[in-house]
Amino acid sequence: MRKAVAAQPEWLTQVPTAPRFPEGRIAAVGCGTSFHAAQTTGNGVDALEAVLSPPDADVLVLVSHEGETALTLEAARAFAGPKWLVTAKSEGPIASLCDEVVIATPEVEESYCHTASYTCAVATLAALRGEDVSGLADAVAERLAGERLPLSDHRRFVITGAGRDWPTAQEAALKLREGVHAAAESHLLEELLHGHLAAIDESVRCFVLQGEGRAVARAAQTVAALEQIGCDVTLVPTRDPVVDIIPFQLLTLDLAEARGVDPDMIRWDDPRWKAARDAYS
């Protein structure tokens, strides 16, 4: 994971900017980290939900780093229209069903706790929508060299954000769960203030993503509310999903090292968790 995190500026310089998605309604589908990447398109759908109810779209974009995710494959089969795949492999079961296969990374990420494959997928999706992604590599390099989020002994974490920041909040919580085995959770900013606050106290480490537009003022109010409870809370400035996840990747690495956890295996090497995965894979 540490190697992949450090490789991100170089990998991002290689993100493909062509071809462009065709005109029309686009839905993006994925599982786990790929689902969070899919959500940055503005119309991301969980793969099982896409199987249960194929999206009403002109083009379906499948996001799968190795191109083999079982439910994403089912979603591809369930969709009757044109399909694109954003992946690291040019061939595979999902690729065989797609009209276009776009390679987002120069190699397959080795760690199961995916980082570079996430940022590259998000950047690729943006580029294929016609957005300028040329500055992202430098911005990520700057963020990697910048101030890190502080370590703590907390066992429970909350990350909250709205709008553009919602995929980042979910991905940040997932990294802490996979890489540190922490009880991390993500909440939409407004939903946190409407009920979920009752289950948060001073034992929870909180991060509020600052957002843009109306969310900025609401994020400041959320920080004030959490401080009233006694939470250790940090307001995290945001600018782009590719850049904004970096502090949480680094926090995952730092916490894993401090707690003696291997972040790469996400418990695949533990017989209980291996048996759990075998029960549904």
Side-chain angles (χ1 to χ4, degrees):
M1 180 180 174
R2 191 174 297 279
K3 176 184 174 183
V5 168
Q8 288 176 113
E10 179 185 351
W11 283 24
L12 285 165
T13 65
Q14 303 175 56
V15 164
T17 57
R20 298 290 172 83
F21 289 138
E23 295 292 329
R25 299 164 300 165
I26 291 180
V29 168
C31 295
T33 286
S34 293
F35 172 48
H36 303 155
Q39 288 181 77
T40 66
T41 66
N43 190 20
V45 184
D46 167 79
L48 179 56
E49 298 301 320
V51 171
L52 295 172
S53 180
D56 183 13
D58 299 306
V59 178
L60 188 68
V61 179
L62 294 312
V63 185
S64 175
H65 185 51
E66 297 191 35
E68 301 174 352
T69 311
L71 263 294
T72 305
L73 176 61
E74 286 190 41
R77 288 172 173 157
F79 186 79
K83 292 176 277 285
W84 288 46
L85 173 63
V86 173
T87 184
K89 291 183 176 181
S90 60
E91 298 180 353
I94 300 175
S96 67
L97 300 177
C98 290
D99 302 274
E100 293 280 353
V101 177
V102 181
I103 305 301
T105 60
E107 60 186 77
V108 175
E109 187 170 351
E110 295 179 8
S111 173
Y112 288 125
C113 193
H114 286 169
T115 52
S117 54
Y118 171 75
T119 53
C120 287
V122 173
T124 297
L125 290 167
L128 300 186
R129 295 195 303 272
E131 297 181 19
D132 181 7
V133 300
S134 60
L136 290 177
D138 287 343
V140 166
E142 180 181 351
R143 195 63 190 83
L144 285 169
E147 185 177 355
R148 295 161 95 102
L149 296 173
L151 293 180
S152 70
D153 294 329
H154 292 84
R155 293 293 166 177
R156 183 178 167 210
F157 297 81
V158 163
I159 305 98
T160 182
R164 175 194 65 194
D165 294 342
W166 177 227
T168 302
Q170 295 171 81
E171 178 63 9
L174 180 59
K175 293 308 97 171
L176 291 169
R177 284 181 173 273
E178 289 180 329
V180 191
H181 315 156
E185 57 201 70
S186 55
H187 296 281
L188 281 164
L189 190 62
E190 193 62 22
E191 297 309 305
L192 179 70
L193 303 175
H194 288 265
H196 298 289
L197 200 63
I200 297 174
D201 58 25
E202 67 278 2
S203 69
V204 183
R205 180 68 168 98
C206 298
F207 298 95
V208 178
L209 304 180
Q210 189 171 34
E212 57 186 348
R214 180 67 176 91
V216 174
R218 205 57 168 159
Q221 292 171 337
T222 301
V223 169
L226 292 167
E227 288 176 340
Q228 287 294 319
I229 296 170
C231 288
D232 188 355
V233 55
T234 298
L235 181 66
V236 183
T238 58
R239 56 179 290 186
D240 184 280
V242 172
V243 182
D244 301 337
I245 193 59
I246 300 301
F248 296 99
Q249 293 177 350
L250 293 172
L251 178 62
T252 299
L253 283 171
D254 291 345
L255 284 172
E257 182 176 0
R259 299 181 183 187
V261 177
D262 178 0
D264 293 332
M265 292 304 297
I266 63 171
R267 282 182 162 161
W268 272 101
D269 53 342
D270 186 301
R272 280 201 297 159
W273 276 267
K274 177 64 165 59
R277 287 184 173 89
D278 289 344
Y280 63 79
S281 60

